[in-house]
Amino acid sequence: MKLEVFENSEIVDIEVAKKIIHVIKEKPNALICIAGGDTPKGVFKQLIDAQKNNCCDFKEVSFISLDEWVGISDETPGSCKQTLYDGLYTPLNLKESQIHFFNGKAESMIDECKQMDKIVAEHDGIDFVLLGIGMNGHLGFNEPGTNTKNSSVLQLSPTTKEVSVKYFNKELPLRYGITLGMSQLTQAKNIVLMATSEKKREIVNLTFRGEKTNQVPSSLMQGTHAILCVDEEAGRDIK
Ligand code: PGA
């Protein structure tokens, strides 16, 4: 895993967006996966500006979701789907056929996983994945102690449930998450892990310098071609 530390979070947004745009220029029909959560929101803005300024053409790109809370979907503000649609897909004017998103309310979560695995396989893997790092090191909903291959439904950890309040302004009765699997993420052709702000300092340190263990899923990116992009606050201990 390579480390890139930038002066502040806005520069992280700009540099991460550049990497995504580079991949799309090389492969206009790339399969791109961008995490929900707060961390990538500045990257959304950079990508939307790039389209406005004719610096990037998203017409042939496909987007795949990273994860979703089981039991909710885009009718719930704070869901991954609502975050990605409102923040990125709708402003980019994407067609529905370009978007493949986990339905957290699907009748069969097994079918939902199978469907997503089929899409990944049909595209011959993910060309670019942008991941946030959870406070406990989770990637998507690959929670501590798990190490999944393909799409899976996993129990949410107590930390994730606690953190969820910031997305929904209240605690929803959420117990499971549906997520792309760790192997699908580690095998993506380009992987960026992004973390900003002081509160991510400890988990960034564990991700990069700690033991490689499924107790900290983000540490499983050690030894891969992933790039860890952080601002100075998050990267203070590892520079
Ligand atoms: P955050 O979430 O970007 O809102 O900090 C990261 C995550 O839980 O993966």
Side-chain angles (χ1 to χ4, degrees):
M1 181 162 33
K2 198 176 139 209
L3 174 67
E4 294 183 7
V5 184
F6 300 100
E7 199 179 326
N8 57 51
S9 66
E10 203 183 342
I11 302 178
V12 181
D13 297 339
I14 293 168
E15 293 302 321
V16 170
K18 274 192 205 163
K19 293 181 198 300
I20 299 172
I21 292 166
H22 177 76
V23 168
I24 295 173
K25 285 203 167 135
E26 295 275 303
K27 187 177 177 186
N29 64 347
L31 180 64
I32 309 271
C33 175
I34 300 188
D38 291 335
T39 310
K41 285 184 175 164
V43 178
F44 296 176
K45 184 182 169 301
Q46 295 299 326
L47 296 177
I48 294 162
D49 286 351
Q51 188 187 54
K52 276 194 196 129
N53 300 329
N54 292 321
C55 296
C56 189
D57 186 349
F58 292 90
K59 275 203 235 27
E60 289 179 47
V61 176
S62 291
F63 284 88
I64 189 169
S65 65
L66 172 64
D67 56 1
E68 185 59 281
W69 309 87
V70 171
I72 63 170
S73 187
D74 51 346
E75 77 290 344
T76 305
S79 65
C80 300
K81 191 167 181 183
Q82 182 269 345
T83 304
L84 265 304
Y85 268 77
D86 286 9
L88 187 67
Y89 302 158
T90 304
L92 286 182
N93 262 317
L94 301 182
K95 296 187 289 288
E96 266 309 304
S97 58
Q98 291 177 269
I99 305 166
H100 309 283
F101 218 96
F102 281 123
N103 176 5
K105 293 179 91 170
E107 240 170 64
S108 164
M109 285 296 143
I110 294 174
D111 288 351
E112 204 60 19
C113 290
K114 279 192 197 152
Q115 173 68 13
M116 209 52 96
D117 293 344
K118 191 165 161 251
I119 288 159
V120 175
E122 278 169 1
H123 284 80
D124 200 20
I126 301 167
D127 292 293
F128 188 106
V129 61
L130 173 57
L131 299 163
I133 305 177
M135 294 300 285
N136 59 3
H138 78 186
L139 297 179
F141 283 128
N142 291 284
E143 297 281 24
T146 62
N147 195 353
T148 57
K149 192 164 171 268
N150 294 327
S151 301
S152 306
V153 175
L154 296 170
Q155 214 163 356
L156 301 173
S157 69
T159 305
T160 299
K161 285 188 198 166
E162 237 172 74
V163 170
S164 72
V165 175
K166 76 169 175 163
Y167 306 116
F168 306 112
N169 294 322
K170 59 180 172 187
E171 196 164 338
L172 296 177
L174 301 166
R175 294 179 58 207
Y176 298 94
I178 183 166
T179 182
L180 291 179
M182 274 307 287
S183 301
Q184 289 167 317
L185 302 180
T186 54
Q187 285 165 16
K189 294 175 191 89
N190 297 274
I191 308 164
V192 169
L193 266 68
M194 182 176 168
T196 52
S197 85
E198 167 71 30
K199 70 170 191 235
K200 292 288 170 78
R201 187 169 156 186
E202 196 179 332
I203 193 61
V204 160
N205 198 27
L206 285 172
T207 299
F208 195 70
R209 295 224 186 282
E211 185 195 344
K212 184 175 179 181
T213 164
N214 70 359
Q215 293 305 319
V216 182
S218 49
S219 71
L220 299 175
M221 287 291 177
Q222 291 174 17
T224 74
H225 53 288
I227 305 174
L228 175 59
C229 293
V230 300
D231 63 0
E232 282 191 352
E233 283 184 25
R236 190 159 302 146
D237 294 339
I238 51 170
K239 272 208 295 178

